Amino acid sequence: MNHPLIMGVINCTPDSFYDGGRHRHPDEAVRRGLELVSEGALILDVGGESTRPGALPVTREEELERVLPVMQRLSAALEQSHPEVVLSVDTTKAEVAAMALAAGAAVVNDISACRFDPGLLDVLRQYQPGYVLMHALGTPATMQSNPYYENVLDEVRRFFEQRMNVLVQSGLSEDAIILDPGIGFGKLLEHNLRLLRNIDDLLQLGRPLLVGISNKSFWKGLLGLELEERGSVTQVATALLTVKGVRVHRVHDVLETQRTLRVFQELSGGGSC
């Protein structure tokens, strides 16, 4: 199997559920990014708009002000020290994606599947980046308002098939697409668990899987855990999802995840990561 990859999260926002704005200043965000690389991240995901449940959108100008200096400085620093590390921009906006890609990003991580800003399709065709296609219901402001599915696994799979078709017809190579089931994005606890139990079914679509379960609120729904108590269950689930074939893990605690995946590789006979 392919070695699993760690995507480290850099939140350049004042209202992240996890780090509450600790990396809003570009210098702090760049320092954090280099720290994540030293801990084992091979992808850095830089975002300037919170997507936690209930979050309100920010303007294009504000998002650019948060993201672009970080992307520029990180790209320059990594080119010198870690050219193997890939930069990702977490955005739904075409202009933010275009400017981040011009500044050194190689992946667009988009929770909207190009539905919030159709102009993003043109950016993808022009730059041909890696593209994380995520499933979500509604917007962050509304997505947890009584989400309903007849069969969440079937509906997520149909969504991926339909949006992949749109992306390919718009000119993006299918080989560039990574699928993210969007754990916690318009899903109740039972929906999240159904997807995670059967996530290997999505591999039948022929694309790699990315999952973000790091410290999310569904752990409180399942086990009553507060934010600071969710680290160990995140690591257990990460190992189990790797067994099921998940290739990319989007996480906050890179060092612990690197250790988890190293143990997985050693005990599964794959050698060191």
Side-chain angles (χ1 to χ4, degrees):
M1 64 171 286
N2 292 321
H3 286 182
L5 304 175
I6 299 173
M7 172 185 273
V9 179
I10 304 175
N11 290 312
C12 305
T13 61
D15 54 350
S16 163
F17 85 92
Y18 182 76
D19 52 25
R22 281 183 289 172
H23 308 120
R24 287 186 67 187
H25 192 280
D27 289 343
E28 283 300 308
V30 171
R31 181 200 59 78
R32 178 59 175 158
L34 295 176
E35 180 181 50
L36 294 176
V37 170
S38 72
E39 293 175 350
L42 285 176
I43 310 169
L44 296 179
D45 194 35
V46 180
E49 181 175 30
S50 176
T51 55
R52 60 179 174 79
L56 297 176
V58 302
T59 66
R60 175 189 59 193
E61 291 76 16
E62 187 173 3
E63 190 175 346
L64 280 170
E65 185 178 341
R66 294 173 179 179
V67 167
L68 202 55
V70 176
M71 195 66 70
Q72 292 168 335
R73 296 182 199 185
L74 265 179
S75 178
L78 292 171
E79 186 177 2
Q80 297 297 320
S81 60
H82 295 89
E84 75 282 4
V85 173
V86 172
L87 287 174
S88 166
V89 59
D90 183 354
T91 189
T92 64
K93 297 180 179 70
E95 186 172 348
V96 175
M99 294 188 73
L101 291 166
V107 174
V108 175
N109 183 14
D110 171 26
I111 69 163
S112 78
C114 291
R115 295 174 298 164
F116 296 176
D117 184 352
L120 186 53
L121 289 168
D122 293 330
V123 174
L124 299 178
R125 178 172 60 247
Q126 177 183 351
Y127 285 91
Q128 293 293 316
Y131 179 73
V132 180
L133 168 60
M134 199 189 81
H135 176 274
L137 285 183
T139 67
T142 63
M143 63 189 180
Q144 290 306 108
S145 299
N146 301 312
Y148 174 78
Y149 301 87
E150 290 281 347
N151 182 311
V152 67
L153 189 61
D154 288 349
E155 290 176 49
V156 169
R157 179 170 178 147
R158 286 197 298 271
F159 174 87
F160 282 150
E161 290 172 336
Q162 189 269 333
R163 296 310 296 176
M164 284 175 64
N165 187 52
V166 169
L167 289 161
V168 171
Q169 287 188 352
S170 296
L172 181 67
S173 170
E174 184 174 328
D175 291 340
I177 299 172
I178 302 168
L179 304 178
D180 178 353
I183 300 302
F185 282 79
K187 298 170 183 73
L188 301 177
L189 176 61
E190 57 264 32
H191 303 140
N192 292 320
L193 292 176
R194 176 80 187 280
L195 285 168
L196 292 172
R197 290 188 192 112
N198 299 281
I199 199 162
D200 46 330
D201 287 358
L202 298 176
L203 289 171
Q204 296 174 20
L205 295 170
R207 301 308 310 141
L209 297 178
L210 178 153
V211 172
I213 55 167
S214 177
N215 301 298
K216 285 193 171 177
S217 59
F218 82 92
W219 294 122
K220 184 171 185 178
L222 180 64
L223 298 170
L225 299 176
E226 299 300 331
L227 178 60
E228 64 275 7
E229 301 175 306
R230 299 171 192 167
S232 61
V233 293
T234 293
Q235 296 309 317
V236 171
T238 296
L240 292 172
L241 291 170
T242 302
V243 173
K244 289 176 176 287
V246 171
R247 179 79 194 285
V248 184
H249 301 275
R250 185 179 185 274
V251 302
H252 302 95
D253 192 336
V254 168
L255 182 59
E256 284 303 309
T257 305
Q258 192 275 338
R259 291 168 176 165
T260 294
L261 295 178
R262 174 66 184 273
V263 170
F264 168 80
Q265 291 293 124
E266 294 293 343
L267 297 186
S268 64
S272 60
C273 292

